[in-house]
Amino acid sequence: MNSLSRTTWSILRPSSSPRFCQPLVPPQVRHASILGSLSDVPAAYNKRIRRGRGPSSGKGKTSGRGHKGQKQHGKVPRGFQGGQTPLEVVHGVRGFKNVFSVEMSPLNVGKLQQWIDAGRIDPTKPITFKELLDARAVHGIKDGVKLLGDGAETFKTPIDITVSRASQTAIEAIEKAGGKVTTKFFNKIGIKSITHPHLFPDGHRLAGPSSRFDIEYYRDPKHRGYLSEAVVANNESASLFFKALEAKPAKGGKKKAKKAKAANRLF
């Protein structure tokens, strides 16, 4: 008992009451916590500027707006030129606008593979605008859908898809997986007949391309155009201005060569 300290003996000795005894374990000790002193480094944040709180704040009095003028009392509308008639009204809006440009909805083959893996698109059936729109792979088709090659290295499912245009990378990726790509011309009514067939109970005859660019695009086998089969069968060129060149060069001097070259022109 002599080896025990007086504090320890006071904890272990029984109380004066026979029914209750003092606890045989030392009381808990609350250590100082560091949670209340945690803070970020000073360079991690900037002190908020309190404008209009007196000169000592650094942004007092005019609050950084300067002295007098329209900007001190409010905001200046966008394009406001001091009250005069705007220059674009006086002289008109000038600039270049491409009237032949089209707005295609982009669709990458990587996203198409993700939709197929998720079960949102059935790869065993032909894929058209309707399947893409119902699966929400594209949104709001305006002038058509263009197939792009982002994610081509991950594409592995053979499919049969029809779109307005397709890049060479996307065509190579789909055909490498054993699929087929067909590019076809659609005007706005034609797109609506595909995406909303219930609005055309008697069917709708799709219109063909009328501009030279569209005709040559869908005649080109490189683009997998739907008009390219007749071009290949007749050994023609995709261009509307030139036929396919002859296999053998013209013989008999420069005059015959010029005649043969002129014969290759359609008009």
Side-chain angles (χ1 to χ4, degrees), residues 6-60:
R6 181 176 300 177
T7 305
T8 306
W9 172 247
S10 64
I11 295 174
L12 297 178
R13 67 183 178 84
S15 62
S16 58
S17 175
R19 297 179 58 183
F20 301 99
C21 297
Q22 293 183 356
L24 300 178
V25 294
Q28 294 182 355
V29 179
R30 185 180 296 276
H31 298 280
S33 177
I34 63 172
L35 297 178
S37 61
L38 292 178
S39 63
D40 209 339
V41 293
Y45 61 92
N46 295 325
K47 185 178 179 181
R48 184 173 65 89
I49 298 176
R50 302 176 71 241
R51 299 179 183 273
R53 297 301 189 273
S56 62
S57 65
K59 292 292 181 180

Side-chain angles (χ1 to χ4, degrees), residues 135-240:
R136 308 304 290 167
V138 294
H139 305 273
I141 303 175
K142 292 187 177 180
D143 295 324
V145 176
K146 183 171 183 179
L147 197 61
L148 302 177
D150 191 11
E153 63 279 356
T154 62
F155 193 82
K156 57 187 178 184
T157 307
I159 59 173
D160 184 2
I161 185 170
T162 302
V163 291
S164 300
R165 296 179 186 176
S167 65
Q168 294 300 313
T169 307
I171 293 175
E172 293 174 1
I174 292 180
E175 292 183 348
K176 184 178 179 180
K180 179 183 177 182
V181 181
T182 304
T183 57
K184 194 170 184 179
F185 175 80
F186 297 95
N187 57 9
K188 292 186 180 297
I189 300 179
I191 294 174
K192 195 171 185 178
S193 67
I194 299 297
T195 57
H196 301 81
H198 62 279
L199 300 178
F200 302 84
D202 299 332
H204 176 70
R205 184 178 179 181
L206 297 176
S210 58
S211 67
R212 176 193 167 191
F213 175 83
D214 291 335
I215 295 175
E216 292 183 350
Y217 184 91
Y218 295 108
R219 280 170 56 93
D220 197 343
K222 181 178 67 174
H223 300 143
R224 304 302 186 268
Y226 74 111
L227 301 177
S228 61
E229 296 181 358
V231 174
V232 175
N234 299 329
N235 192 23
E236 297 178 357
S237 172
S239 174
L240 297 178

Side-chain angles (χ1 to χ4, degrees), residues 65 68-77:
R65 290 172 176 249
K68 301 185 180 180
Q70 186 177 11
K71 293 183 179 179
Q72 181 192 16
H73 302 288
K75 295 183 179 180
V76 180

